Amino acid sequence: MDHPNRLPRLTLAAFVVATFLGGNNAVAVRFTVRELPPFLGAAMRFSGAAFLLWMIVLAKRLPVPRGRQLIAVLGFGALNIGISYALLYWAIVELPAGLAMVILSLVPLFTFLFAIAHRQERFQWKVLVGCLIAAVGITIISLDQIYNQASLLSILAVVLSAACFAEASVIFKMIPRAHPVTTNALAVSVGAVILAAMAWLLGESLIWPETFSTWIAVGYLAVFGSVGMFVLMLFVLARWKASAASFQVVLMPLITALSAYWLLREPLTLSMLTGGILVLGGVVVGILPPRRSSQVDEVKASP
């Protein structure tokens, strides 16, 4: 049995696995945008994920949200999938995978501010300090990349994507409890529709992947990087505060950097290693509960 002042093991395990899966997403996206138009590639990814999720919903006869809960879930999907990933896919055509994930690490800072604005959380110095420590690490990581490898417009697109991800997490906390699989099935479906519409409006050519590596990347993104990661992230988000759960995005650049170095031959520099230590330190400060009372909202899972 977990000690009340410790992070519950199952939730922590879901946090770690989701972080690993998400950390490899940017690398897989870089493979897809080499051959596919960005919005078409995103639409293919989320259409495949939606198909798999709805198969699970039908097979297990899971309850589907209705009424105001349904409207809230669809809004969550439009923001978290449709808008956020449209910005991210567009930017990552140019940005290196590691740098894109570094910028996305702004999500905890945005989430912290948005959660306070929505009066979901009270101001806590330890969360802010953790975010700032992580931000210093992120700055060190990006110093030798940002001016030489990225345009300001692409960077701003990822920053705006990070803000959308953060606001979507806060919105999810307002939705009455729903099953994570059906929530994801609806969210991913509306996101896929938005991305497909954008591909059509922008005149992207409807083509299919020709190389094996692109098919593998699309398959990974649909199965592991979407279905697996999103279900696990909502599992964590339902049990932790939004600001604590958002630290997944802070850890992901470390995984992205290693995978990008191995698969894409993106450089792994001393600044990446130094900044990574600070990022890990910021995560520890930000999510670990104090000794006397846990700051993590652990909620019993509904049967």
Side-chain angles (χ1 to χ4, degrees):
M1 179 180 296
D2 290 312
H3 190 276
N5 289 337
R6 296 176 184 170
L7 294 176
R9 295 175 184 176
L10 184 59
T11 308
L12 185 59
F15 178 91
V16 172
V17 174
T19 302
F20 176 80
L21 295 177
N24 285 296
N25 275 356
V27 177
V29 171
R30 285 285 288 177
F31 275 103
T32 65
V33 297
R34 287 176 174 179
E35 185 176 352
L36 300 173
F39 298 123
L40 175 64
M44 285 183 177
R45 166 190 178 178
F46 291 114
S47 295
F51 175 79
L52 293 174
L53 287 165
W54 282 114
M55 289 299 99
I56 297 173
V57 171
L58 293 174
K60 294 186 171 292
R61 298 181 179 179
L62 300 176
V64 178
R66 299 178 184 277
R68 295 180 62 184
Q69 187 182 47
L70 174 61
I71 295 173
V73 170
L74 293 177
F76 166 76
L79 185 61
N80 192 57
I81 306 295
I83 299 175
S84 298
Y85 279 93
L87 291 165
L88 184 59
Y89 266 72
W90 179 82
I92 213 168
V93 172
E94 176 187 342
L95 295 183
L99 180 56
M101 291 304 296
V102 162
I103 300 170
L104 275 182
S105 295
L106 291 169
V107 168
L109 281 170
F110 284 131
T111 305
F112 178 57
L113 296 174
F114 294 163
I116 293 174
H118 286 282
R119 298 183 180 180
Q120 287 186 6
E121 300 182 22
R122 292 180 296 178
F123 180 84
Q124 296 180 53
W125 281 106
K126 76 178 189 69
V127 177
L128 180 58
V129 170
C131 288
L132 292 177
I133 293 173
V136 171
I138 292 165
T139 302
I140 292 174
I141 291 172
S142 61
L143 278 177
D144 62 345
Q145 301 184 60
I146 194 167
Y147 294 108
N148 297 322
Q149 300 186 36
S151 70
L152 179 60
L153 193 59
S154 295
I155 293 172
L156 290 176
V158 182
V159 171
L160 188 55
S161 178
C164 291
F165 282 128
E167 177 65 12
S169 296
V170 176
I171 289 175
F172 176 77
K173 298 295 288 185
M174 302 176 185
I175 302 173
R177 181 64 63 87
H179 197 285
V181 174
T182 53
T183 299
N184 272 301
L186 288 164
V188 169
S189 296
V190 71
V193 170
I194 291 173
L195 291 163
M198 293 186 69
W200 177 73
L201 289 171
L202 294 174
E204 291 185 348
S205 301
L206 180 58
I207 59 176
W208 293 98
E210 295 182 357
T211 63
F212 180 71
S213 60
T214 303
W215 277 111
I216 291 295
V218 172
Y220 174 86
L221 288 167
V223 178
F224 300 103
S226 297
V227 176
M229 186 190 74
F230 292 157
V231 170
L232 289 173
M233 287 183 74
L234 290 191
F235 178 85
V236 173
L237 189 57
R239 289 157 176 78
W240 288 5
K241 289 183 177 181
S243 56
S246 68
F247 271 88
Q248 287 174 314
V249 189
V250 178
L251 286 169
M252 285 179 186
L254 306 180
I255 298 167
T256 304
L258 294 174
S259 295
Y261 173 77
W262 179 44
L263 296 172
L264 298 172
R265 297 295 183 262
E266 291 184 5
L268 183 62
T269 63
L270 179 61
S271 63
M272 182 71 74
L273 298 175
T274 304
I277 294 174
L278 288 172
V279 169
L280 287 171
V283 171
V284 171
V285 172
I287 72 172
L288 288 184
R291 294 181 180 180
R292 292 186 179 181
S293 61
S294 174
Q295 296 295 324
V296 178
D297 290 337
E298 181 68 21
V299 181
K300 293 183 179 179
S302 52

